[in-house]
Amino acid sequence: MKRMVSSVLAFTLALSLSACGGSTSKEANGTTTQGETKKAVSLNVTTTYAGNDGNAQNFQDAVKAWEEETGNKVNDASATSDETFKTRVLADFEAGAEPDVLFFFNGVDSNTLVEGNKVVSIEEIRKEYPDYATNMKDGMMGASPVDGKNYSVPVNGYWEGMFVNKKVLEEAGAKIPDATTTWEEFLEICQTIKDAGYTPIAASLATIPHYWFEFSIFNYLDTTSHNVLPTSVSDKQGKAWIDGLNDIKLLYEKGFFPDNTLTGTDDDTVQAFIEGKSAFLIDGSWKVGGIEGLTDDIDNFTVTYVPGKNDRKTTDIIGGLSSGYYITRKAWEDEEKREAAVNFVSYMTSDDMVSKFAQVSATALKNGVKVDESQLSSLAKDGLQLVQGATGMTSAVQDQIPTECRVPIFDNMPNIVTGTADVKDSVQQVLDLLAEQK
């Protein structure tokens, strides 16, 4: 199986410890330039680099290299990013079983961690390790909505687009959507694909409904208003949510989703897409590596814009930097683990390592990513072109909605599209839950 080839050289970090006594000075990579030798420690680390995430192998390789260079160990509890993952992580913190280092979301999902003093701000870390995360643009690291401070150090940002199985469209006699394709034209293309015996859209509305939620409501807003939460079902955002959900319901009624969309997993629908049973898959930039790892015919796949309508241009995309590495208060206050945690995060967020993980996605690096385009797959190059051709970008509005408040829409999507649950009522329930959070 193919994977993206990076021009990145292995990034090395030395502990530079000496056996003689004396004062110590700390650097951003967690090294002790003078002082007593530190004994090896084991760090509990949780990330989303697992499953079919395109960087899962990169993460495992990096962990192994870090362990070999430092003598420390990593107890990896990484899992695929979904609502269950978020719930489990937050539950671990509540139970006092949080990891030492966490790769997690930096929007409202992390509010309880900041409010509970469960994670350490970069500002505080820099008081002891002044060079910590100084290779990043502070304004792009994803400040907490709670106090405006940076807590997480990002690696690979994201963009979202529509992946395409070219063979399916070719056999169906349909054209590949491009920057000029409208929503109405997209519906016609989907019907052509369905008439040819293929599934137009690969999506599990049971487990991963958020991509279609985002773009469907984006089609009734624009880059300046998409990321604004509704205050009522009758304001501009509230109406957009209702109209967008009704569009998803229409796609379901037209039979454009897989037969198992209400019960199947994301892995099921992605595999069907790879196998040529369905044509389109909305996902993030991380899926480039995931697809490369699932097929020997990467040239059969491309990524394009999600067709738009109303004020949203087809070339307006969703993207940003929504996750990063946190050092937990638990690790910071452990004298044996503090230095290793700083060392680990610095290793994982160096310019070279971020370039390896980010590839065609956004980063907060001051120096930008180092990518040799000649070594990229055709799909990765298409991803770069998608970002370069974007006319506007907005972050995902779901990042402002706490996990428990999303339930009436995200968990209830099968009932919404089948008509068992009323769309307007479902939106109102989300707003009621959000109001309770204030």
Side-chain angles (χ1 to χ4, degrees), residues 42-221:
S42 293
L43 288 181
N44 298 316
V45 177
T46 298
T47 78
T48 55
Y49 296 126
N52 61 17
D53 185 289
N55 275 315
Q57 188 61 52
N58 283 337
F59 178 73
Q60 293 170 18
D61 292 344
V63 166
K64 182 179 179 181
W66 182 80
E67 289 178 329
E68 292 176 349
E69 292 185 19
T70 65
N72 296 321
K73 297 296 180 183
V74 169
N75 300 317
D76 184 15
S78 298
T80 301
S81 174
D82 57 18
E83 298 308 306
T84 301
F85 169 79
K86 296 175 184 177
T87 301
R88 176 175 68 81
V89 166
L90 297 178
D92 285 345
F93 273 87
E94 290 181 4
E98 66 266 32
D100 300 309
V101 174
L102 171 68
F103 189 83
F104 197 63
F105 306 93
N106 53 29
V108 295
D109 286 314
S110 65
N111 281 3
T112 57
L113 305 184
V114 174
E115 292 167 345
N117 194 30
K118 296 291 187 179
V119 289
V120 188
S121 71
I122 291 175
E123 177 183 72
E124 181 176 350
I125 295 172
R126 284 176 176 169
K127 290 178 181 178
E128 188 164 347
Y129 302 92
D131 294 331
Y132 184 71
T134 53
N135 61 328
M136 301 284 175
K137 299 175 183 177
D138 284 351
M140 289 185 65
M141 283 198 280
S144 170
V146 174
D147 57 12
K149 294 182 179 181
N150 291 323
Y151 287 81
S152 64
V153 186
V155 180
N156 50 316
Y158 73 98
W159 47 257
E160 295 176 7
M162 189 165 69
F163 292 88
V164 181
N165 187 308
K166 297 179 183 178
K167 185 176 180 180
V168 172
L169 271 75
E170 180 181 351
E171 295 185 355
K175 75 165 189 174
I176 297 176
D178 57 26
T180 67
T181 304
T182 66
W183 184 256
E184 289 303 319
E185 290 172 335
F186 174 66
L187 295 180
E188 294 174 1
I189 292 172
C190 285
Q191 188 62 54
T192 298
I193 293 168
K194 180 187 176 185
D195 292 343
Y198 296 93
T199 298
I201 300 169
S204 168
L205 296 181
T207 60
I208 309 290
H210 53 274
Y211 297 115
W212 283 96
F213 166 79
E214 291 286 348
F215 276 99
S216 293
I217 64 175
F218 193 12
N219 273 342
Y220 289 91
L221 296 166

Side-chain angles (χ1 to χ4, degrees), residues 158 160 210-231 235-238 240-241 244-245 248 309 311-313 316-320 392-401 410:
Y158 73 98
E160 295 176 7
H210 53 274
Y211 297 115
W212 283 96
F213 166 79
E214 291 286 348
F215 276 99
S216 293
I217 64 175
F218 193 12
N219 273 342
Y220 289 91
L221 296 166
D222 55 35
T223 55
T224 61
S225 59
H226 174 71
N227 205 28
V228 179
L229 290 173
T231 57
D235 67 11
K236 180 179 180 179
Q237 280 71 29
W241 283 32
L245 287 169
I248 298 176
K309 67 177 179 180
D311 291 336
R312 182 209 152 218
K313 299 176 181 178
D316 288 341
I317 65 175
I318 292 173
M393 179 182 290
T394 183
S395 59
V397 70
Q398 65 165 319
D399 291 339
Q400 297 189 51
I401 311 172
F410 282 25

